Amino acid sequence: QVWLVESGGGLVQAGGSLRLSCAASGSIFSINAMGWYRQAPGKQRELVAVITSGGSTNYADSVKGRFTISRDNAKNTVYLQMNSLKPEDTAVYYCNADTGEVDYWGQGTQVTVSS
């Protein structure tokens, strides 16, 4: 079992920055990759960024060059630094932990970007 707790969402003006955090606990050893997904109203949940246990990263085209995913293994925490935010980045952001067999999800944190 893995538990994920997100923090760091909020309201920001276009062009601003936010940093999301996701603290993992439980069976940390079983996690292969952690990532951030988002879901805007009326849309499907989509991948934003992912980082593997080996440190490899992958990003959605829409956030490349603006968002950075990183991890602090000592704190079992994954971060998403979001810069140059746009109104279309508005969504609920979810942390995900992939064990290869089971996906675990956080409760979500709202990010709202005003124009």
Side-chain angles (χ1 to χ4, degrees), residues 1-2 4-5 9 13 15 18-20 29-30 32 38 40 42 57 60 64 66 69 87-89 96 101 106 108:
Q1 180 72 38
V2 175
L4 304 171
V5 178
Q13 289 187 331
L18 283 174
R19 189 177 81 156
L20 306 182
F29 62 89
S30 66
N32 294 329
R38 67 186 181 187
T57 59
K64 282 181 181 177
R66 300 188 298 123
I69 189 169
E88 51 263 44
D89 295 318
N96 169 270
E101 295 182 349

Side-chain angles (χ1 to χ4, degrees), residues 8-71:
L11 173 64
V12 64
Q13 289 187 331
S17 299
L18 283 174
R19 189 177 81 156
L20 306 182
S21 300
C22 174
S25 60
S27 301
I28 306 297
F29 62 89
S30 66
I31 298 174
N32 294 329
M34 292 187 69
W36 289 94
Y37 288 71
R38 67 186 181 187
Q39 188 167 18
K43 295 187 176 181
Q44 289 188 331
R45 191 172 297 189
E46 62 176 1
L47 174 68
V48 176
V50 63
I51 185 166
T52 70
S53 56
S56 298
T57 59
N58 193 31
Y59 297 90
D61 288 342
S62 59
V63 306
K64 282 181 181 177
R66 300 188 298 123
F67 291 10
T68 302
I69 189 169
S70 62
R71 64 194 297 163

